[in-house]
Amino acid sequence: MSTRQSTDIVIIGAGPSGSVAAGLLRKAGRDVVIIERETFPRFSIGESLLPQSMAYIEKAGFLQDVVEAGFQYKNGAAFARGADRTAFDFREKFSPGWGTTYQVQRGHFDHVLANGAAKAGADIRYRHTVLAADVSGAKPVLTVRGADDHVYEIEANFLLDASGFGRTLPRLLDLETPSDFPVRGAIFTHIEDGIPTGTFDRNKILITVHPQHHHVWYWLIPFSNGRCSIGVVAERDFLAQYQGEDTERLKAIVFEDAGLAELLKNARWDTPARTLTGYSANVTSLHGNRFALLGNAGEFLDPVFSSGVTIAVKSADLAVNALLREAAGDTVDWERDYAKPLKKGVDTFRAFVTAWYDGRFQKIIFHKDKNPQIEAMISSILAGYAWDEANPYVAKPERRLSSLEAACALFD
């Protein structure tokens, strides 16, 4: 028979959104229990952070931990398409705030944040799995199986789902709804890249367009230890053409691009590749009766602009702000005060992702004649400042992108 426990805030998942939310809540003196089904460190994809995320890492109290962890410094993003090259330096962006960040092995990075949350006083329960969720009453109740297989219930004043691709509450409460993006997949791994010193800017992520298919792209994310994350993203039918083990499939696609083949000619492919298919996700609502969904648990767009961690920690900040306002006696409308502000930035990223795949954004960034002011505005979005409505490309992203693409076409 299960036992019933009680706490203030329960968070499902100790990834970036869960740990940052816990750090912010502990600063306000709130009791926090984190239910995490795995043991950290554990592998996770999404290694290239955006500068905007640093503000929330700092606010949660984890900045020194991250700075001292030895991650690869990052100041921008580089793009390649055949012989075309372009790059954005995030320090030269339109929006105020951080212009640099890090490229991280997520297993280590997530562990650093989780340890920071634990040091702040959060009760992190590793290898505990949520079996059921009841949000019908005045307080949400989770049924949890512990590391020792003991089953217990835990009741909270509020529940935050930070379970990422596990999407615990969307699955248990039937909140999932199909994404409007085509079904895409990724094949990826970490390798010893063997890139000679001085031949490649390791301070930037490199995004490369496939030589024949503009909707297929590669990421190359350098780490501080001579290794990198390498992956390819494409629609499912394209990836299905390549047979064999995932590592051989990935190598075959990567070496179709002459630039990447030259960069990685000395690489040691020492880690089996992994795959992820149908990663884009959406939900019917980002909140409900005494619960809210954070980060990827609510919605995931696409990895092309590395927005996942930034959206995750932004959602944590918005949710905690709403909880603290409630505690102060304010009336909080979770749609108005949480969902809509979060969706504003997500929709900005969505417009840029759509423009990437239909070719408009590629035409813009590879155009020879660039306007420095517009370039700074776009750099802000790529740096994660998708909520800065002083930026015209946040206020009206779709219209601005279409107008700019049309102007580029006019001057070609």
Side-chain angles (χ1 to χ4, degrees):
M1 185 169 179
S2 64
T3 55
R4 172 71 64 95
Q5 302 175 14
S6 182
T7 192
D8 186 6
I9 310 292
V10 167
I11 300 174
I12 305 172
S17 61
S19 292
V20 166
L24 295 170
L25 288 164
R26 287 301 301 146
K27 276 193 164 186
R30 305 292 291 269
D31 290 332
V32 178
V33 172
I34 301 179
I35 306 297
E36 170 55 56
R37 70 179 180 180
E38 298 189 51
T39 300
F40 279 26
R42 52 86 177 99
F43 179 85
S44 183
I45 197 66
E47 301 97 343
S48 198
L49 306 182
L50 303 184
Q52 168 73 101
S53 64
M54 299 300 291
Y56 304 110
I57 290 169
E58 182 176 24
K59 187 175 179 181
F62 306 149
L63 181 59
Q64 182 175 345
D65 297 326
V66 170
V67 169
E68 294 180 352
F71 297 120
Q72 171 65 49
Y73 171 82
K74 175 186 175 184
N75 62 22
F79 295 86
R81 184 185 63 183
D84 297 328
R85 297 289 187 273
T86 192
F88 291 84
D89 188 325
F90 294 156
R91 297 166 296 183
E92 300 170 358
K93 59 185 171 32
F94 171 85
S95 303
W98 283 79
T100 62
T101 184
Y102 297 98
Q103 298 179 147
V104 302
Q105 293 97 328
R106 281 287 304 278
H108 184 196
F109 174 74
D110 290 9
H111 201 198
V112 167
L113 296 189
N115 285 343
K119 284 189 291 184
D123 175 6
I124 305 183
R125 302 180 182 181
Y126 293 109
R127 295 179 57 211
H128 285 230
T129 303
V130 176
L131 303 177
D134 182 356
V135 296
S136 62
K139 294 184 177 184
V141 179
L142 296 181
T143 303
V144 180
R145 183 177 61 241
D148 60 359
D149 287 332
H150 172 69
V151 175
Y152 63 94
E153 294 180 336
I154 185 164
E155 177 185 79
N157 293 317
F158 204 91
L159 174 60
L160 296 173
D161 184 355
S163 59
F165 288 121
R167 298 171 61 78
T168 300
L169 289 188
R171 287 187 297 101
L172 294 176
L173 302 179
D174 195 26
L175 300 174
E176 294 185 299
T177 186
S179 169
D180 54 5
F181 283 130
V183 177
R184 296 188 177 96
I187 312 175
F188 50 90
T189 190
H190 290 181
I191 61 175
E192 183 180 307
D193 58 62
I195 301 173
T197 302
T199 62
F200 175 68
D201 185 356
R202 300 189 75 89
N203 297 332
K204 293 178 177 65
I205 181 175
L206 173 63
I207 301 296
T208 301
V209 182
H210 189 278
Q212 282 84 43
H213 307 281
H214 78 264
H215 57 279
V216 178
W217 62 275
Y218 313 87
W219 75 73
L220 194 159
I221 303 170
F223 299 137
S224 60
N225 58 356
R227 299 182 65 79
C228 74
S229 173
I230 179 75
V232 62
V233 174
E235 291 189 20
R236 189 165 45 188
D237 289 348
F238 178 89
L239 296 177
Q241 301 174 75
Y242 298 82
Q243 303 299 313
E245 296 294 327
D246 289 334
T247 302
E248 295 309 312
R249 296 169 66 209
L250 176 59
K251 288 174 69 175
I253 304 172
V254 166
F255 288 134
E256 287 178 357
D257 180 79
L260 289 176
E262 177 62 23
L263 265 183
L264 300 177
K265 64 183 180 182
N266 298 321
R268 193 162 65 93
W269 297 70
D270 54 2
T271 305
R274 301 173 184 238
T275 62
L276 186 63
T277 303
Y279 48 73
S280 297
N282 207 342
V283 289
T284 55
S285 177
L286 290 172
H287 60 90
N289 181 33
R290 308 303 298 163
F291 74 87
L293 310 179
L294 306 184
N296 294 350
E299 182 169 9
F300 182 75
L301 298 173
D302 190 273
V304 66
F305 298 123
S306 305
S307 61
V309 171
T310 298
I311 292 172
V313 295
K314 174 69 174 183
S315 69
D317 184 60
L318 285 169
V320 170
N321 285 343
L323 286 170
L324 298 184
R325 284 184 52 210
E326 279 189 342
D330 292 347
T331 300
V332 170
D333 180 327
W334 279 83
E335 184 64 22
R336 179 195 65 207
D337 300 326
Y338 174 67
K340 285 186 177 179
L342 181 59
K343 286 177 180 177
K344 178 62 182 176
V346 172
D347 286 345
T348 301
F349 282 124
R350 184 192 306 278
F352 274 68
V353 169
T354 299
W356 170 265
Y357 283 107
D358 66 24
R360 287 176 295 154
F361 188 72
Q362 295 179 31
K363 184 178 291 186
I364 290 167
I365 64 172
F366 290 116
H367 198 267
K368 290 181 175 57
D369 298 317
K370 294 186 176 67
N371 179 310
Q373 185 178 21
I374 292 175
E375 193 169 17
M377 293 175 182
I378 291 175
S379 185
S380 285
I381 307 300
L382 299 180
Y385 292 89
W387 291 266
D388 176 15
E389 296 200 52
N391 186 343
Y393 285 84
V394 173
K396 295 180 179 178
E398 183 62 39
R399 193 168 106 184
R400 290 280 178 172
L401 285 167
S402 292
S403 297
L404 185 56
E405 186 266 344
C408 289
L410 184 65
F411 289 102
D412 277 342

